[in-house]
Amino acid sequence: MKNKLIYLDYAATTPVDPRVAEKLSQHLTMDGVFANPASRSHMYGWQAEAAVEHARKQVASLLNADTREIVWTSGATEANNLAIKGVAEARQDRGKHLITSHSEHKAVIDCFKYLESKGFEVTWLNPDSNGEVVCEAVRAAIREDTILVSLMHVNNETGAINDVYEIGRILKQKDIIFHIDAAQSAGKLPIDTKTLDADLISTCAHKIYGPKGVGALYVRRRDGFVLPAQIHGGGHERGMRSGTLPTHQIVAMGESFEIAQVCMSDEQSAIFKLKQMFLDELIGQVNFKINGDVTRSISGILNLSFPDKDGQTLLSALPKLAISSGSACTSATMSPSHVLKSMGVGDDCALGALRFSFGRFTTEEDVISAADMLKSVLHRMT
Ligand SMILES: *Cc1c(COP(=O)(O)O)cnc(C)c1O
């Protein structure tokens, strides 16, 4: 099996779990449950509606939420747009100050840049050197006119975990809306909306073995707060998000969330062991630096810098390894990752960064071979 490709890019997307794929395929064809869930006049429609509502229970259950708090979207990008632009629109009469961080996903950063162009004022927090946005930084940025704080639960590049429970407590006291991008944490870390003081939580299916193109926004039910739609149409999803619901996608997302809920803690400890095994293979053998704190980050993500090496060159020397570089290619020039930069990682290290992400189908054999490939490439390059 020497020539096998090894997939270590689970943070970019996961393969669909076969059990989920089976469910999905049962909701497409004439002999399946394929209908428009909004078709109220026949059995086909009622069955599709029942399937969608079952999936809503599965997603709500993972978040310990009420089914009426789940709004289907096309993914976490759309959920983030709906949450952030929606709150800005709904609460602008109270103030125009917003708080987020430099280490967010582009789907959040670009919403805030857009709002800046519309006259909102944004405080951009920096994470600490481990990639965590600390409570004190949030507390210090709060003003009288702050209406929204948006922070991710888990960072997609470093795996750093923000203490959203503590941040939520601070914001609740101040009556500031708290949005969490949980695309990387849903199904991997406990999210309990009964104890987590968040108003809006973005999730998607494709980071947790469901299909791409479907997600959900948790919208806490609270008096006097209505989240204005960003996509207008037939008034689906209690007016918050119009569009015919993709029955097959939603059913698949529900299944992937239910599976995750059942196996979360065992799976996370198994994946942590794989990450540790990978590190053990490298320690003392090659020169590298960990971006983040392994013990305080999500088990599946490991971001490493190889000082004085170029990430892009490393990637092309590792054609059998499916991993991500820590930098982005912007019009022919390489620029270091905005996340690593915000943590204070220098350009020399940021340009030599690689993200390894492990998941449900990663084997010990994959980990050992990947480490071997990496070691031999690095030895050749020195
Ligand atoms: C993947 C990801 C997104 C985007 O989700 P899509 O469903 O692909 O739109 C947003 N935020 C984070 C942190 C992510 O990892």
Side-chain angles (χ1 to χ4, degrees):
M1 292 308 273
K2 268 244 142 58
N3 285 318
K4 200 179 78 167
L5 276 171
I6 299 174
Y7 190 77
L8 294 181
D9 207 10
Y10 281 81
T13 194
T14 58
V16 173
D17 187 292
R19 293 164 287 184
V20 174
E22 172 75 24
K23 275 276 174 201
L24 188 148
S25 68
Q26 290 164 359
H27 293 79
L28 288 169
T29 55
M30 192 71 214
D31 57 355
V33 179
F34 68 91
N36 187 333
S39 294
R40 293 277 154 72
S41 54
H42 49 69
M43 183 64 107
Y44 291 97
W46 303 334
Q47 285 174 342
E49 188 189 20
V52 162
E53 292 316 309
H54 178 67
R56 202 187 297 275
K57 277 198 194 111
Q58 291 170 310
V59 169
S61 168
L62 184 77
L63 304 175
N64 195 16
D66 190 286
T67 51
R68 289 168 295 180
E69 295 174 314
I70 304 299
V71 175
W72 301 116
T73 66
S74 62
T77 298
E78 189 195 327
N80 288 340
N81 272 264
L82 172 57
I84 295 164
K85 294 183 200 166
V87 171
E89 186 183 330
R91 293 229 152 173
Q92 56 188 326
D93 52 332
R94 295 191 182 204
K96 298 190 101 177
H97 180 239
L98 317 166
I99 300 171
T100 188
S101 88
H102 281 300
S103 51
E104 299 305 306
H105 191 274
K106 291 286 180 192
V108 165
I109 289 181
D110 288 350
C111 287
F112 280 98
K113 284 190 177 160
Y114 168 77
L115 290 170
E116 275 182 329
S117 80
K118 295 287 169 191
F120 287 86
E121 197 186 331
V122 179
T123 296
W124 298 89
L125 303 175
N126 274 318
D128 66 10
S129 59
N130 287 325
E132 185 181 335
V133 178
V134 297
C135 306
E136 280 320 307
V138 178
R139 199 196 299 273
I142 295 171
R143 305 192 326 206
E144 278 299 308
D145 59 342
T146 306
I147 53 169
L148 168 70
V149 173
S150 174
L151 293 170
M152 63 207 322
H153 191 185
V154 167
N155 184 274
N156 50 299
E157 290 191 28
T158 62
I161 302 169
N162 287 330
D163 188 354
V164 290
Y165 285 83
E166 187 55 33
I167 294 169
R169 276 189 282 277
I170 297 169
L171 298 177
K172 190 181 180 186
Q173 288 167 4
K174 308 264 182 189
D175 192 30
I176 296 168
I177 302 271
F178 186 24
H179 165 250
I180 300 173
D181 177 352
Q184 291 289 346
S185 62
K188 296 170 190 147
L189 292 180
I191 300 176
D192 177 352
T193 57
K194 298 287 183 287
T195 54
L196 171 59
D197 292 316
D199 301 287
L200 301 147
I201 303 173
S202 301
T203 64
C204 65
H206 79 96
K207 306 281 171 68
I208 190 75
Y209 314 98
K212 285 166 270 297
V214 63
L217 180 66
Y218 160 84
V219 183
R220 185 180 294 279
R221 282 154 53 84
R222 44 189 276 172
D223 289 341
F225 180 71
V226 181
L227 189 65
Q230 302 301 309
I231 293 182
H232 302 91
H236 306 73
E237 298 297 279
R238 295 176 316 292
M240 283 181 267
R241 200 281 192 174
S242 290
T244 301
L245 295 177
T247 311
H248 60 306
Q249 299 281 78
I250 287 171
V251 164
M253 177 161 176
E255 192 68 12
S256 70
F257 271 45
E258 183 172 323
I259 293 170
Q261 189 172 5
V262 172
C263 69
M264 177 153 50
S265 64
D266 289 347
E267 183 160 279
Q268 288 309 298
S269 35
I271 292 172
F272 183 78
K273 285 199 188 106
L274 294 173
K275 171 157 90 168
Q276 197 56 56
M277 175 185 283
F278 184 71
L279 277 173
D280 289 343
E281 288 292 311
L282 300 182
I283 290 169
Q285 306 282 312
V286 293
N287 180 24
F288 70 93
K289 203 184 136 291
I290 302 173
N291 296 311
D293 178 342
V294 178
T295 59
R296 290 172 60 84
S297 57
I298 194 129
S299 58
I301 298 181
L302 181 62
N303 193 304
L304 302 181
S305 277
F306 302 93
D308 308 320
K309 299 282 185 298
D310 170 57
Q312 221 50 45
T313 313
L314 279 174
L315 273 187
S316 33
L318 292 163
K320 297 277 191 281
L321 264 193
I323 52 176
S324 279
S325 101
S327 43
C329 206
T330 41
S331 61
T333 58
M334 291 307 297
S335 60
S337 136
H338 70 278
V339 174
L340 298 180
K341 238 173 136 161
S342 71
M343 293 160 61
V345 177
D347 278 9
D348 54 328
C349 273
L351 286 170
L354 296 176
R355 180 186 67 186
F356 301 85
S357 47
F358 311 89
R360 184 172 291 168
F361 306 108
T362 307
T363 63
E364 292 188 2
E365 192 197 355
D366 290 340
V367 168
I368 303 291
S369 325
D372 285 346
M373 288 180 205
L374 183 61
K375 280 186 278 189
S376 77
V377 163
L378 286 164
H379 289 152
R380 250 191 287 139
M381 282 168 76
T382 45

